[in-house]
Amino acid sequence: MTNLQRLLLEVQGIDLDQNELAVYLAENNLNPHDEYNPQSATNKRNIYKTALSILESIANNPSLMRSYKLDDMTVTDFHENLLNRIEQLERKIRQMKTDEQERTNVFMLFNS
């Protein structure tokens, strides 16, 4: 599985051109055609950061903020759910370790 394929698993239902996805991956230090390494914490973290960038781009699209109803969901609900998912991803990324971090018994109260 490549980094691009792994990203597509993370952002299912979002239709973007593969060239656009490649740009998002490159911005997060990933080559789209490199093999995805699930044992690498850094690789996994960068995939999540890329998914977060994509969701933030969608959230910044003003046309999605209009209020109209589709079945049982309004676009307002979509935007609120999108913002909740962004917040969840940000929290998850902050808590993830990278391959470069050493394991210590020191508790970091203020982690960036």
Side-chain angles (χ1 to χ4, degrees):
M1 174 180 286
T2 65
N3 287 324
L4 181 60
Q5 291 169 328
R6 175 60 181 93
L7 178 62
L8 288 171
L9 287 175
E10 198 61 39
V11 294
Q12 290 180 11
I14 297 174
D15 295 324
L16 291 176
D17 183 61
Q18 288 202 1
N19 292 328
E20 293 175 42
L21 294 173
V23 170
Y24 282 111
L25 285 165
E27 289 174 349
N28 288 288
N29 302 320
L30 292 171
N31 185 333
H33 304 293
D34 284 353
E35 192 68 23
Y36 172 68
N37 181 3
Q39 283 76 34
S40 169
T42 301
N43 200 332
K44 187 174 183 179
R45 187 171 194 256
N46 287 344
I47 290 288
Y48 284 129
K49 286 171 63 176
T50 304
L52 177 62
S53 296
I54 291 170
L55 292 178
E56 287 174 338
S57 294
I58 291 170
N60 287 331
N61 186 347
S63 67
L64 295 176
M65 296 179 201
R66 292 183 308 196
S67 185
Y68 61 90
K69 193 165 183 99
L70 176 67
D71 296 331
D72 291 353
M73 189 171 100
T74 64
V75 174
T76 306
D77 294 335
F78 168 75
H79 194 256
E80 288 173 15
N81 292 334
L82 181 63
L83 293 178
N84 288 337
R85 178 63 180 142
I86 288 171
E87 185 178 318
Q88 290 170 351
L89 265 177
E90 286 174 338
R91 190 176 326 113
K92 188 174 196 172
I93 290 168
R94 279 194 309 267
Q95 294 172 350
M96 292 178 81
K97 299 215 181 287
T98 61
D99 295 331
E100 293 83 30
Q101 290 177 332
E102 295 179 18
R103 296 188 184 266
T104 63
N105 291 330
V106 177
F107 174 73
M108 294 178 59
L109 180 61
F110 301 102
N111 191 6
S112 58

